[in-house]
Structure formats: structure tokens, C-alpha cells
Amino acid sequence: MAASWKYLPIALVACGVTAAAAWISFGFTYGAGAIIATGLLLGCALWLLGPALRNHWWGSALAAGLASLLLVGNAAKVAMLHMPLSIADVQALPILLATLSGRPLLLATVLIAIAVLLPLGSLRPRWRSLLALATATVFVFLLPTASGVLRPISESLLPVGIEELKMPNGEIVQIPGREDQLSLLRVRGPLLYLLEDWRIMREDTRKVPTAAEIDALALQAWRPGSIGKPRNVHVVLLESVWDITLLDRYHSSRSPLDPRFLALWESAGRPYVLSPEMGGATANAEFEVLCGLPAPRNSVAFVNLMRNPSPCLPAVLARSGYRTVASHAHLADNWNRVRAYDHAGFDLYRPISAFELDDLEGGLLADSSFFRQNLQYLDENQSDGPLFNYLVSLSSHWGFVRNTERRPDLVTISPTDVPVLHAYANAVAYTTKAFMDWSEAVLARDPEALIIAFGDHSPSLDVDPDPYTAVNGGDKAVFDTPATRRKVGISRTPLLILDGHRGALRTGTDLPMYELPGLIGQLLGNGALLPQSAQRGPMTLRPFRGHLLTGNDGSWNDCAGRDSAPRTPTCNAAWKQFDQLRALRQDTVLGDGHYLRTQHAETFRVPRLHPMVVEASHADCEFEVDQWGPHQTAPGQGFNVQPDGSSAMWFTMKHLRGTPQVKIGNTVGKANAGERLITAAFATGAIANLAGPVPVTLSCPGQPPVQVGTLDVSAAPEPAPSVAADACSFTVDQWGPRTGTAAQGFNLQPDGSSGIWITMKQLQGHPQVRVGTTSGATAYGDLLVTSAFSDPALLAKPGSLPVSIGCPGHAAVELGAIQLEASH
């Protein structure tokens, strides 16, 4: 154990080096105390683990890996999303992996594998190692429980620095620095920050007020009201739709917002709602809009809070006779939506299984199809009672992948130093166009319909340069600091309310999202539709990433954390107002509903008689084969042989959903699904013994196999009439793909290369496929040509890549172009 003390200086050095790397790579600086605190805590863990490590080289590698994850990983996330790594990121990891594809998914998988395998690989495989491993594990798990002891010590030894604050009368006063997330990370380092993050998360998810505490808050009285004249209500969350005119350095050739959307929005005075998030965690914006309560600071409400059936907007409307439907063409249980939507009061949830995947943006359903299919659902499911129709769009989701063949560029951005901003602006253009097409169709059918559309959060953009450096500069309000001006601008997203045939409604601006249900209640003739709607205070409060942004009489202040400066009269009043909302949230979604009992409204906590239905009209995997090949081969020779020696079979599809399993006889191929194309690779040894006619089948999990034909593995056919060695001719039928992503590729293959497929009406010889001037590794099958490209320089930048095919010595035939969108 004594020798293990050497890991303390190793950990300190590793933290110093990786902190320097964080500064060089992302411009994020840690204080000396933060580096030392992180090194000491990390070194203590390695000291306890020391007897279980193979040798000091492995220990050093582990120290470097963990230091990089903590210090560089935090700097990378701050650069992209302006917030540190948190405990909630563990919950978000499955969502992230479900969102990524291609090379980013491969990179994320490799990093996760390293994070798991490096600690495991560094351990000695012997029984004595178990004791050291158990000791180190206990140390790690005891740290959060000791946060109450460590917190005052860290506050004393590593205080957040003194700040100067200019008072309204011009006087400069010195105050202790705000203990916001980034300040804590810089001053105390990632491990002490994570301990504080853990403490706040536990407080948000476990602290439930008692009846006496609720009584002491003196909350406003509430009585369940009634809706005078029910009308159909449509609430539309527009993924990542934000106003890029708030970026002071960037300008667009036209507004990314559809011209019809923009005209209506401007006629309403360009109102904004204030989001709790930036770049992700859509579920927290949903929680606020559906349940009228502020989201937690550092976790996801749908995952951590919604444990009780609650008086949320759909539940209260359902009690008034509404049919309540939620539609989101994504995996049903992402962000725990099945339970959250059920507790919020929806009758029906229509996830991806309810939609025909007939038009995709990458792996996501295009909004044009999503809104069209929702309109079809409305037409086919009319009823006498009113409808609450809740929609969550997807096309403008992070990644901003777009099928440019169907949806070419509409907007250009200058300057051009942030390519992802160009991709984002065009994604918003098509999302808002699809929304406007849908809303006009809805109002044509129902002129009294109430439509509320809003962006859920600002987008995640590039990090070098950071487009958010200068935000909201044209705002004429008074801000206590430039940082507050920036945060308010990032929090703002467009709000458009269409009051039936009367058009856009002027509502005022800067409405926190959790106040939207109250506004909807007012529009339905019931100003306190929800219990929480009765609690609106005099100030505008926007909890935003560890800050309490406070709007009051045309000025904005950042009241930071509850326990930190500045404690001005405005901030004292702001925290008192917010604490009432927070306690009501805990009592409603986590606790015993004491407030509802005091209002004699206990029935609002009674679960519905019928649980929510999740529509699954489409299976996860469906297909209809159009053509396939090859149909014949000689024994032991393989077919459509690829550069790696495997044999490949191809299937073009009339309809494809998921990735069916491909078999030749009982031999399973390694299937890869593309744009209405499936290829399946078979290792040479796996097909060496095939003979005679062998059935070729495709099958989806849990479904019987469908035979599409037979592969004739027989004696070699009679040799074809001899032709000149250079004879080559072809007639192209179809080809693909048409889109890809810069620095990632297109139609990604298992080996990481990008693949082009070309089906032929007639094929002789070996024509060569080129992208630009680069030739691919081309293989030839039965009326199919495939070509693989792996040159990183070819795929590095967004743009149009011309695709051609030609026979040696002849002019190439131009097929078209693959459009590479900006990378993530």
C-alpha cells in the first residue's frame, strides 16, 4: 500500500497536463486550486486501488485517462453547450447514442469502450485485487455522502472570487462571486463540482415538502374552473427553433423562419418564451409546457420527477371532456416519455411506431411527412368532443441532417466560419415551412382551432468559433452584466399563437415556458386552469442552467444560486417567489399533494380509469423487396466478391423499415441498411459448403422468414462467348445515396468507408466509379456495382460531390451529386 502513494503525484501531474490541454484546445481555464483538488481526490482513489493495478504504467495510464475525461471532457462540453459534465449526463447517454450515427457514433462507442476497458484492463486478475477494488469503490461512493462535510471546507479553501458590481447609482461595490456552474467548475474542479451537482440533484428529486411547509408558503387559493366554450387546442414543439437574428455576428440571406411564420410572428410583436435549456434536454421544456412547473436545475424531469399522476395540462383538459393525444416520431421510451406522458394525462401516445417512415432526414422522420401524417390522423379520427393535440417535431434536431435532393438550400449565412449554422438555418426553414403548411390546413378545417407553437431551446452549434459569443446585443432592456444579456438571449425562443381565423395573437414577450399552460387557460376562458397557474408572481423568473434570471420593470438580473451573491432586495424577492413554485412542484409530482388537499381538489391526483395507449400500427422492422442479386454462383468461388474477400448480396426495396436479417440457407449475413437498399456480407468460410439451389430469406425479429428466391450454387456455367478484354458497357437504373455528412461520410459501411450503389439495367465489364476525381474500390455483381470511398480529405468539408461512372478509355457518365451537410 505504501508504494501506492506514488499515484498522488502522478494524478497531480496528469491533472496539470490535461488542464493545460483543456486551455489549449477549448480556451477553458481551471484555477490552481481546482487542479490540485482534482488531483488529490483522483490520487486518493488510485492510492486505494493501487494494490489491484498491474503496474505503475497501467496506473499512470488510468490517471491520465480519468484526468482527461474530467478536465478536457468538461472543457469540451462547456465549449459546445456552455455547461459542465453532470450526473444527469449518465441518463442522457442512451439518448445521445440513439441520436448519433456513422462516425460520431463509432467515436462515442470507442470512447465509452476505453472508459470501461481501461480501468478493467489495468487490474490484476487475482483475488487479492478484489479488496483494493472494493476499498476504492467505497471511497468513490462515500464521497457524495460526505458532500455536506466537504462543502464548507471547499467554500473556505476555494472560495469563488470577488466580483465588482455596478449599482444603479453608479457606485461600484465588491461582492463575493456568483457560485454558478462554470464558476464552481473553474475554482473547485470537476470532482468537487460533481459532488455539488449530486447534492442538488438529490435535493431536487428527494426533498418533498411536508403539509406544514406547504401551509407556511401561503400559496394562492385555487378552485377548479370550467371551460366556457371548448375549442380544439394544438400545441406544437418545434425542435431547436430559435431566432438566429439574436446572434450579433451572423446574418442570413433570408430569415430561416418560413415567410408565413415570420409575417405572423412579427404581426404579434415577435414574442418569445424563455426555455430552461440550451442545445438539448427537450423533455425539460416539455415538462414545463405540459405541467406548468419549472424544470429541475440539473436533471431531466421526465426521468427523475414525474412519479405521480399530476394535474398537468392534458390531464386537466381530459377532465373537461378533451381527447388528449401526443405525437412524437421517435422511440417511445426516450426520456421516459411513456411514463411521463401517462402521468401528464394523455389518452394516446403516437411514437415512431405510429408513423410510416416514408421520408427521412438521416434516421429521423422529416417534418413534412410528420405533419402530413398528423393531419391524416386528425381527418380519420374525428369525434364530437374537443381535442388536445400535442406534437413534437424532429427535422431540426441536433445534427441538422437534411435530404438536400428533396429539400435544397434556402438560406445562406455570413460569415461562413460556422458551417453547422448554415445547416441549422436550412433545417429550421423546412421545419417552419412544414408547420405552416400543416397549420393552414388545420385552420381551413377548423377556423376556431387554437394553435400554440414554440421552439424548445436554442441549438447546439459549433465550438470554434463559438457563435454564441455575442448574443442579444440589440436588446434595449437593462442588464446587470453582459453575461446576463447573453443568457437571456440564449434562453429565448419564438412563440407563435394562432387564435383561429383571427390570426396571430399578441401575448407580450419573455414568458417562461412553465407559464404557457396558464396562458392557454386564459385563451380557453379559465385563467387558472391548473393549480400552479394561480401562483404567478410579480416578477419574470427563468431558472436557466444554474442561474435564476430575474426580469423586473424592464431590467434583468442574474440572481445566481440560492446560496450565493448577490443578495439584493430584488434577488431576495425572486428567490422567495421561485421557492414557492419549486415547493409546489415537489409536492405535486413527487410528494403527497398537500396543496391540492388544502384546496379540496384531491380528485386531481386520482389516476385515470384507463391507462394511456401507445399506438404501434407499424412494426419496428418491415420490408418489401423490389430486386435482389446475385442469383447464381459456382461452388466455392463466392459471389459479388468485395475488397475484404467476403461475398455480398444486395436487395433494393420498395419499402424498408429497420434492418431485416438476411440468410442464405442457414447462414446469416452481416446486414447493412442504406437508403432503400440492404447489403449483406458473407464470410468466405461461411458459404464454402453451399451447393444446389439455396433459399434466400429475409426476416424481422419475431416474424417468420420471407423467402425472396434461391441462390443457384451449381457447377460453373458455360463460359460466355469471348469478348475483348476491354469490352465495357452499362445502362444505369438507380443509384444512391444522395446525401451525407461532412467528416462522417455517406451510406457508412461496417469498415467505416462510404459506399455508393448503382443498380444496372445492363452491365458488361468493369466501369469505374468516381466521386469528383477520386476512384473508389469497386466491386461488380449481377446488375449491381458498389464502390467504397475512404479518403478523409474527400469527405472533410460540406459541399456537393459529383458522382460519375465510366468505362476505361471512354467519357464518364455524370450521375448527379452527393450533398454533404455540415458535421455535428
Side-chain angles (χ1 to χ4, degrees), residues 87-230:
I87 306 298
D89 288 333
V90 178
Q91 297 171 336
L93 190 58
I95 312 299
L96 175 65
L97 294 177
T99 302
L100 295 177
S101 62
R103 293 186 182 179
L105 177 60
L106 178 63
L107 177 61
T109 304
V110 169
L111 291 175
I112 293 169
I114 291 174
V116 173
L117 296 178
L118 180 60
L120 292 178
S122 65
L123 300 177
R124 293 182 184 179
R126 62 180 187 178
W127 289 108
R128 289 178 57 190
S129 299
L130 292 178
L131 178 61
L133 180 61
T135 305
T137 302
V138 169
F139 170 76
V140 171
F141 279 95
L142 282 179
L143 276 177
T145 62
S147 60
V149 177
L150 291 174
R151 188 180 181 213
I153 296 174
S154 60
E155 286 176 343
S156 175
L157 296 178
L158 299 171
V160 176
I162 299 297
E163 290 183 354
E164 290 187 345
L165 183 67
K166 185 176 182 179
M167 303 303 288
N169 62 2
E171 180 185 359
I172 303 296
V173 297
Q174 290 189 332
I175 59 172
R178 292 178 170 91
E179 290 192 1
D180 58 47
Q181 291 168 306
L182 296 186
S183 296
L184 290 174
L185 178 65
R186 286 190 173 96
V187 172
R188 296 177 190 163
L191 287 178
L192 288 177
Y193 170 79
L194 283 175
L195 291 180
E196 180 67 4
D197 187 64
W198 175 266
R199 182 188 69 82
I200 292 171
M201 175 181 279
R202 284 174 60 87
E203 184 178 285
D204 273 345
T205 58
R206 296 193 178 188
K207 186 175 181 181
V208 176
T210 64
E213 288 172 328
I214 291 295
D215 291 339
L217 289 174
L219 295 168
Q220 296 295 315
W222 174 76
R223 292 292 180 270
S226 60
I227 296 172
K229 185 179 179 182

Side-chain angles (χ1 to χ4, degrees), residues 242-304:
W242 187 71
D243 179 15
I244 69 167
T245 65
L246 294 173
L247 295 175
D248 298 340
R249 285 192 61 244
Y250 294 88
H251 307 280
S252 57
S253 58
R254 50 149 278 195
S255 171
L257 301 175
D258 183 85
R260 295 164 294 172
F261 187 106
L262 181 63
L264 288 167
W265 188 46
E266 288 184 333
S267 72
R270 299 176 68 95
Y272 293 107
V273 285
L274 299 175
S275 172
E277 297 295 343
M278 171 194 177
T282 295
N284 274 347
E286 291 188 72
F287 171 75
E288 294 204 348
V289 169
L290 292 174
C291 294
L293 293 163
R297 165 183 156 169
N298 62 348
S299 62
V300 179
F302 277 8
V303 177
N304 298 104

Side-chain angles (χ1 to χ4, degrees), residues 17 58 81 96 131 172 274 282 386 478 502 507 545 549 570 586 593 608-609 626 661 678 697 702 721 745 800 803 817:
V17 171
W58 276 99
L81 295 177
L96 175 65
L131 178 61
I172 303 296
L274 299 175
T282 295
V478 177
R502 289 167 287 277
T507 59
R545 309 209 135 194
L549 305 178
T570 296
Q586 303 300 92
R608 298 189 313 276
L609 295 177
D626 183 14
Q661 184 185 72
I678 289 180
T697 59
S800 183
V803 179

Side-chain angles (χ1 to χ4, degrees), residues 9 140 150 165 204 258 441 464 576 607 618 633 639 661 664 710 823:
V140 171
L150 291 174
L165 183 67
D204 273 345
D258 183 85
D464 187 19
K576 181 179 179 181
H618 293 275
T633 188
F639 50 86
Q661 184 185 72
I664 300 176
T710 58
S823 65

